[in-house]
Amino acid sequence: MSRRAARMTADDRRAQLIDVTLPLLREHGRATTTKQIAEAAGIAEGTIFRAFETKDELFLCALEKAFDPTDLIERTEAIDLSLPLRERMVAAVTLLSERFTSMFTLMSRMGMLQPPRARRHTEELRARGLAAIEALLAPDADAFRVDVPQVAHTLRLLTFSGSHPHITEGRLLSPDQIVDVVLHGTLAPVPAQTTPTQTEK
């Protein structure tokens, strides 16, 4: 005789519902129905309301998870510091760009003008995120003409704007383009001037 699967705890059920709701919000926005959520979770529709009082509460919890930067920070902190500077920067910008693009898509689908007010220590996480980028740049601090915090700020700011579909007018910047602008700017190298030889005089 097969055993019945163990019943989910309340916290596990909430986490499951949040996980299946997020992709639906990215696709359908606020038009997402509890029927769609229940089908995605493989449960009866009424089970949703034993975990969340309302659909709006579930939506809010899903949005807060989507905008929680903890996973991004941990993945940035895990980038190999032994990589060359440019590779470290491209790896960090790739993670940032993917996050910003995901955020902008979700906000557009949900008709949001700004992210939800987080229930976490937002400033603390923001500082930790910047510190993770600065740590990637620190081994090559002497190679920059400005300090590392300024480079990190510029890199993050350019990635944010370069990943925004409206700011870029649909011409998104790739991680390679962003890093090249930060490292080298947009001016072409100035040809070195040669000293005339004796026969040229």
Side-chain angles (χ1 to χ4, degrees):
M1 179 182 292
S2 62
R3 294 184 178 181
R4 178 178 293 180
R7 181 177 296 180
M8 276 192 180
T9 66
D11 286 344
D12 286 344
R13 178 64 74 193
R14 286 174 65 90
Q16 180 209 24
L17 288 170
I18 288 169
D19 285 343
V20 302
T21 298
L22 261 176
L24 293 171
L25 295 182
R26 289 192 175 99
E27 183 177 356
H28 305 290
R30 294 194 182 277
T32 300
T33 65
T34 52
K35 180 180 180 181
Q36 289 172 318
I37 296 168
E39 288 177 350
I43 59 173
E45 199 169 345
T47 304
I48 295 172
F49 299 104
R50 290 200 286 272
F52 297 92
E53 290 188 7
T54 65
K55 183 174 77 169
D56 285 342
E57 182 193 1
L58 171 54
F59 282 8
L60 178 60
C61 290
L63 289 171
E64 287 180 345
K65 178 175 181 179
F67 286 91
D68 182 349
T70 303
D71 180 64
L72 168 69
I73 294 169
E74 291 174 350
R75 293 173 68 189
T76 303
E77 291 171 338
I79 294 173
D80 187 355
L81 292 179
S82 69
L83 292 172
L85 173 63
R86 189 179 186 282
E87 289 185 31
R88 274 177 271 142
M89 293 176 71
V90 169
V93 170
T94 298
L95 293 176
L96 277 171
S97 180
E98 289 173 351
R99 172 173 170 78
F100 289 143
T101 299
S102 176
M103 286 169 48
F104 297 146
T105 299
L106 184 56
M107 289 175 67
S108 176
R109 290 283 190 273
M110 296 296 291
M112 300 166 61
L113 298 178
Q114 61 185 13
R117 182 174 296 178
R119 295 175 183 172
R120 296 172 174 268
H121 304 294
T122 305
E123 286 304 315
E124 180 181 333
L125 286 172
R126 183 175 180 278
R128 182 181 164 193
L130 282 172
I133 297 174
E134 290 174 12
L136 291 175
L137 303 172
D140 293 273
D142 292 342
F144 299 109
R145 62 181 179 83
V146 297
D147 61 22
V148 163
Q150 180 61 49
V151 179
H153 174 73
T154 302
L155 193 68
R156 190 180 186 281
L157 191 63
L158 186 56
T159 305
F160 178 90
S161 57
S163 303
H164 198 293
H166 298 310
I167 295 175
T168 61
E169 298 180 337
R171 297 166 58 195
L172 302 182
L173 298 179
S174 70
D176 284 295
Q177 288 175 310
I178 291 167
V179 171
D180 283 342
V181 168
V182 173
L183 286 178
H184 310 298
T186 57
L187 289 177
V190 178
Q193 292 188 349
T194 56
T195 304
T197 62
Q198 192 67 32
T199 55
E200 292 174 331
K201 293 182 180 179

